Amino acid sequence: MLKTIATVAIAMAAMANVASSNLVPVRRSASASDVVIAMAEPQGQDVAAVFRFVKSIDGNGLELAISASGLEKGGEYPFHIHVNNVPSDGNCTATGGHLDPFGVKAASGDAYKCSADDILNTCELGDLAGIFGNLVGDDEGKCLKSVNATELTFGGKSTILDHSIVIHNSKGDRVACSNITGFILAGDPISAAGIHDASEMDDMEGMDDMSDTSGVSSRAAMFSGALLSVAAAALF
């Protein structure tokens, strides 16, 4: 649990406490090597969440940290990357199906069954719940989750850019959604190691505040600044 909290903290803090103009939002046409972080902030009537994608320090895919609130206690919420962007009216049903650049679902049809042990051959890449499990509400209706999404990238066929995040309830209804936006650093380049390397982070207090996503849209202005390096080497 401590490792999960620390990993979430790294990705969340990487975009926090920033200056004013170093991060620039980009479209899919950006060079994958230039994108340093991507974010999505799905919101619905009750459910809200913050998704942060950063390059894995070993270069193997992306690390994803999620902080969600407004969940039912013990409730399970599947979440996926969907192909289409969320339209301006916020209609989550317009996001289409799951990201599946290699046509796994089309090939398997009704026999589709995602296995985390064989992602490329059995899973839609956007089937994040199938690969990593659902979001599950704790006693306070919150969930922190961190995973290493080895098959996802910021470029090529497996890119997450110009797609969307959709959260479903246990009935399959789409209860929250948001576009995924990538960012490049307008100043000096930064590596994945630069995001993860850090001065010491001893105090994990305040992580609950990251789960309170009631004001996520207002925080978007923060994300146009320089990345804050965070350390958690002692926790891994």
Side-chain angles (χ1 to χ4, degrees), residues 55-67:
K55 295 175 184 176
S56 296
I57 195 167
D58 62 2
N60 189 20
L62 304 177
E63 291 187 13
L64 167 60
I66 307 165
S67 173

Side-chain angles (χ1 to χ4, degrees), residues 14 54 58 61 74 101 104 113 121 129-130 178 188 220 222 232 236:
V54 297
D58 62 2
V104 172
K113 186 175 182 180
N121 290 316
S178 172
D188 295 332
M222 283 198 312
F236 286 86

Side-chain angles (χ1 to χ4, degrees), residues 14-215:
M15 295 297 287
N17 192 27
V18 294
S20 60
S21 61
N22 284 23
L23 284 178
V24 179
V26 294
R27 304 291 291 180
R28 183 171 180 162
S29 58
S31 170
S33 62
D34 292 335
V35 179
V36 293
I37 196 164
M39 69 175 188
E41 298 189 332
Q43 296 185 77
Q45 184 173 354
D46 299 308
V47 175
V50 182
F51 284 66
R52 298 285 180 269
F53 297 86
V54 297
K55 295 175 184 176
S56 296
I57 195 167
D58 62 2
N60 189 20
L62 304 177
E63 291 187 13
L64 167 60
I66 307 165
S67 173
S69 64
L71 311 178
E72 294 183 3
K73 179 180 177 180
E76 298 209 7
Y77 294 77
F79 62 105
H80 309 102
I81 298 174
H82 283 238
V83 174
N84 299 331
N85 280 317
V86 180
S88 58
D89 63 2
N91 181 6
C92 295
T93 62
T95 56
H98 301 165
L99 178 66
D100 188 17
F102 303 110
V104 172
K105 181 65 177 293
S108 57
D110 293 339
Y112 174 81
K113 186 175 182 180
C114 175
S115 169
D117 295 326
D118 190 13
I119 295 172
L120 285 180
N121 290 316
T122 67
C123 301
E124 302 166 311
L125 292 191
D127 188 3
L128 300 182
I131 299 170
F132 304 114
N134 297 331
L135 301 176
V136 181
D138 64 13
D139 289 346
E140 296 180 344
K142 298 178 180 180
C143 179
L144 295 177
K145 193 177 187 73
S146 64
V147 299
N148 187 5
T150 57
E151 308 303 336
L152 298 179
T153 65
F154 288 146
K157 291 188 70 173
S158 303
T159 184
I160 65 171
L161 301 185
D162 279 353
H163 299 302
S164 57
I165 291 286
V166 176
I167 299 175
H168 304 253
N169 61 18
S170 60
K171 299 177 181 179
D173 300 325
R174 305 182 186 197
V175 295
C177 58
S178 172
N179 293 329
I180 301 171
T181 302
F183 292 85
I184 62 173
L185 195 64
D188 295 332
I190 187 169
S191 65
I195 296 175
H196 292 270
D197 287 345
S199 55
E200 192 166 341
M201 182 177 63
D202 293 323
D203 188 2
M204 302 306 297
E205 185 178 355
M207 279 300 299
D208 284 346
D209 293 339
M210 296 181 186
S211 296
D212 181 4
T213 55
S214 58

